[in-house]
Each structure stands twice: as C-alpha cells, then as structure tokens.
Amino acid sequence: MQDKIQKARDAIARAEKLLVFTGAGISKESGVPTFREADGLWEKFKAEDFATLDAFKRNPREVWKWYRERRALALKVKPNPAHYAVVRLEEAHEDFLVATQNIDNLHQRAGAKKVLELHGNIMHSYCMKCGHLVDESAGELPGEVPSCPCEDCDGLMRPKVVWFGEQLDPHDLERSFQFASECDCCIVIGTSGLVYPAAQIPFLARRNDATIIDVNPEPSAITPIADYFLAGPAGQIMPRLVEE
Ligand code: APR
C-alpha cells in the first residue's frame, strides 16, 4: 500500500489542475451516515418517501422533520482528517476544485473555499413560490412546515437539495464537467459512483488521461478506471497523501 500511496502522492504533486470528487464516505468518520451501505440511510428510509418533490408535496411535515434531523446531525458533527487533508490540497494547488455530492457543509466547515455542491446544501432552504433563499446554518426557520418569510408571499419553504428526479444546477454541472475534462489528476473519495450525472465526473477526467486515485474501503463503480485504488477509510488514507 505504501508504494501506491507514494505513487499517488507523486501524481498529486505533479498535478497542474487537481479535482477532488467526494461522496458520503468522506463524512462517515465524522458520524454522518452514508446511503447505500448496510447501515446507510436508504436501508432505513425509502428515498421516494423523503427525497422527492412528490414526497414533499404529499407530506411536507414528514419531509421537513427528516431534513431537520439530518441538519441537526450535520451541525453536531465535525469535519474529520479527510476534510482537512482536502483543504491542504486546495492550499497547495492554485488550479483546484472540490466537486461534492454531499450536502452536509463539512468541506466548507473544514475551510475549503473552492467547493461545488452538486446536490445542494442541507443548511439552505428556498421558497417554492418566490425563490427567497434562507441560510439556516445560523438558526431554524419557524414552523413545522416553514412558510416564506417574505411579506407578500405565502409560498412553502423547501430544503435547497437536489431530490431524485430533479435537475442539478446546470451551471454547476457544466463547471464540474469542464474542470473534470481538463484536470490531470482526480481524487475520488467515498463514493459508490452509482448516481448520475455526478458519477460521470471521474470518467470525464479519465477521458482526459487524468490520473484517477480512488479512496474507499471497498471497490466502487469508479475503481475499475482508477490508477490507484487506496483501500481504507478516508480519515486514515487522506492525511497520508498530504503529509510533509
Ligand atoms: N472513507 C471513505 N469511503 C467510505 C468510508 C470511509 N470511512 N466509509 C464508507 N465509504 C464508502 C462506501 O464504501 C461507499 O462506496 O462511501 C461510499 C458511499 O456510497 P453511497 O452511500 O452510495 O454515497 P454516495 O456515493 O455519496 O451517493 C451519491 O446518492 O442518494 C444519493 O444524493 C445522494 O449524494 C448522494 C448520492
């Protein structure tokens, strides 16, 4: 493993344009559940009952309750060594981007600046009628099903996350695809690589002959295209990729 770590470190050091693509696994050691593992969220909750627009329209109270619980957890946990290692990579690379599928805000709390949240941010809500955006990391919106705080609007507030069946922000998607198509190294951390269009990102990097480094305790859909599969928890592997 040390030999692969060293080769991956060399590829990162040589990188002119470095992309980091993350999934729920990078936050696992912070205490945030993943989705598809045995103890994952989709083993306990049906995505169609909590993470679709239809579910929200059918039962806004239940969906809001679920997101409030996930927000409370996201606020309670802390970034782990893997998030801080990604910040070190950002500091060492001028041309750098984190494209994350995560909504837990932990990359930003660790100090990352160049973050594209492809699936939104659990701390943000917006009005379904007027689009008024609220950042709730400071506090809670009133009411079990919060309504728009605007004077002359009675719209419902919803979490600013991408639900199944919804489009990702086209600008963010285009920017992450463009960056992936031009990068010369892509570090994939903690994703099963099963959910598109985000999962296309490492494949676009591969098509540009970028070095692909896959950090995951288990093989994923990305592992077959990885130059280096570093099998282990991100909190242990990532610091070894950035230590002096
Ligand atoms: N370090 C690194 N990877 C880990 C760790 C860890 N400590 N623990 C688990 N993993 C890996 C698992 O092996 C798995 O491959 O993290 C991955 C988590 O996969 P998923 O649960 O499918 O999460 P993710 O890939 O982020 O899902 C993508 O699906 O449900 C949607 O919107 C949701 O953004 C999410 C998207």
Side-chain angles (χ1 to χ4, degrees):
M1 168 69 107
Q2 186 48 39
D3 179 42
K4 279 200 285 187
I5 292 261
Q6 189 50 53
K7 286 191 174 124
R9 284 166 60 93
D10 296 344
I12 292 168
R14 283 194 308 272
E16 301 277 312
K17 197 180 187 80
L18 177 62
L19 172 62
V20 174
F21 177 58
T22 64
I26 194 173
S27 300
K28 178 85 177 283
E29 289 150 277
S30 294
V32 180
T34 57
F35 295 95
R36 292 173 187 80
E37 291 184 287
D39 59 349
L41 277 180
W42 300 147
E43 294 304 317
K44 300 185 183 100
F45 301 94
K46 281 189 173 166
E48 57 270 30
D49 291 343
F50 294 95
T52 64
L53 183 56
D54 286 348
F56 184 69
K57 287 179 175 168
R58 242 188 353 258
N59 199 337
R61 276 184 57 176
E62 274 309 293
V63 172
W64 259 114
K65 182 168 173 285
W66 191 62
Y67 275 94
R68 281 215 160 94
E69 285 160 8
R70 290 181 66 196
R71 272 183 185 173
L73 176 66
L75 284 169
K76 196 171 73 182
V77 300
K78 292 183 174 41
N80 69 60
H83 294 105
Y84 290 111
V86 169
V87 175
R88 295 273 301 279
L89 290 172
E90 178 172 342
E91 289 163 350
H93 290 80
E94 179 58 33
D95 205 352
F96 178 87
L97 180 68
V98 186
T100 186
Q101 301 170 92
N102 300 340
I103 61 174
D104 58 27
N105 210 36
L106 288 178
H107 279 302
Q108 293 90 327
R109 283 180 54 199
K113 302 277 181 295
K114 296 177 178 175
V115 182
L116 260 190
E117 295 172 304
L118 296 164
H119 293 163
N121 184 314
I122 199 165
M123 300 303 168
H124 297 166
S125 314
Y126 70 91
C127 172
M128 293 174 75
K129 208 166 188 179
C130 75
H132 180 84
L133 180 69
V134 173
D135 172 350
E136 274 191 20
S137 26
E140 284 281 298
L141 266 183
E144 282 182 322
V145 181
S147 46
C148 182
C150 295
E151 276 295 297
D152 50 0
C153 176
D154 60 353
L156 277 192
M157 299 298 283
R158 57 162 281 180
K160 191 172 186 313
V161 298
V162 178
W163 280 327
F164 285 102
E166 293 188 320
Q167 298 296 314
L168 280 67
D169 176 299
H171 172 72
D172 286 348
L173 198 58
E174 173 52 35
R175 207 175 130 220
S176 59
F177 279 15
Q178 187 64 35
F179 197 97
S181 307
E182 294 165 356
C183 74
D184 43 7
C185 183
C186 176
I187 309 174
V188 180
I189 311 171
T191 186
S192 55
L194 296 173
V195 176
Y196 282 80
Q200 204 176 337
I201 287 171
F203 292 87
L204 291 170
R206 180 82 201 164
R207 205 181 297 161
N208 188 48
D209 281 339
T211 302
I212 309 295
I213 299 163
D214 182 26
V215 178
N216 196 323
E218 301 295 330
S220 73
I222 309 298
T223 310
I225 63 163
D227 296 279
Y228 305 108
F229 171 47
L230 307 179
Q236 292 172 29
I237 298 280
M238 286 309 297
R240 293 173 63 186
L241 288 181
V242 300
E243 68 201 358
E244 295 303 314

